[in-house]
Amino acid sequence: MLSTLETLEVVTVVVVGVMVGVEFAVAFVMNPILNALPEESGQLGHAHGGRMLGAVMPVWYIGSLALVAIWAVAGWHDHGTGLVVTAGALLLLSVIMSILLLVPINNRNKTWTPENRPADWKQQLNRWLRWHYVRVAVIVAAFALLAASLV
């Protein structure tokens, strides 16, 4: 039977791991698919994805950060706590990056249609994607640290 702390650790690793998987898939699966579609369809797909994931991901990011913080406090004297705290710092960085760099672009993108999109819409989406790659690397590192803290 798992202790309460062990249950928290497993739940946190699963929640963060699934979030990483979704963000990885956005970067390396969904964006290439949307970019291969005809321009109007691809742009509409990006806008829809921005609305859909834009509603879910803030809760997921903040929830993941909260779980890691609770884990760090609850397991403060465990051997892997340094890794958990570092993972939490990386998740905090990903939240800050999201708020400052990615969300403003996404908030514009999710309102665009072929009729009202700006002339530089592709450049804005490419800027979003470049920052998204960095964010994916940050959350993958956080996930790896969480997993490593369990051994």
Side-chain angles (χ1 to χ4, degrees):
M1 182 104 184
L2 294 175
S3 70
T4 302
L5 179 58
E6 290 169 331
T7 301
L8 173 65
E9 292 168 350
V10 169
V11 167
T12 303
V13 168
V14 169
V15 168
V16 172
V18 174
M19 179 182 74
V20 167
V22 168
E23 293 290 38
F24 187 90
V26 166
F28 298 104
V29 178
M30 292 310 302
N31 274 314
I33 289 170
L34 293 173
N35 291 337
L37 293 173
E39 193 169 271
E40 287 189 7
S41 298
Q43 187 266 305
L44 289 170
H46 280 291
H48 181 66
R51 287 187 300 274
M52 192 178 99
L53 290 173
V56 174
M57 296 316 285
V59 174
W60 212 339
Y61 272 81
I62 300 297
S64 294
L65 181 57
L67 285 169
V68 170
I70 294 166
W71 176 357
V73 170
W76 189 251
H77 298 291
D78 288 356
H79 71 279
T81 302
L83 296 174
V84 175
V85 170
T86 305
L90 289 173
L91 289 176
L92 178 60
L93 174 62
S94 75
V95 169
I96 292 168
M97 287 178 60
S98 296
I99 292 168
L100 296 178
L101 303 169
L102 290 114
V103 169
I105 298 169
N106 188 62
N107 284 343
R108 291 189 300 272
N109 166 58
K110 66 185 184 181
T111 66
W112 294 338
T113 66
E115 293 79 33
N116 73 359
R117 66 185 181 214
D120 71 338
W121 70 276
K122 285 184 182 180
Q123 290 82 1
Q124 290 190 52
L125 286 181
N126 285 333
R127 188 174 323 117
W128 182 92
L129 186 56
R130 285 191 306 271
W131 284 117
H132 183 66
Y133 288 143
V134 174
R135 180 174 61 180
V136 167
V138 168
I139 64 175
V140 165
F143 176 65
L145 290 171
L146 292 174
S149 74
L150 296 174
V151 293

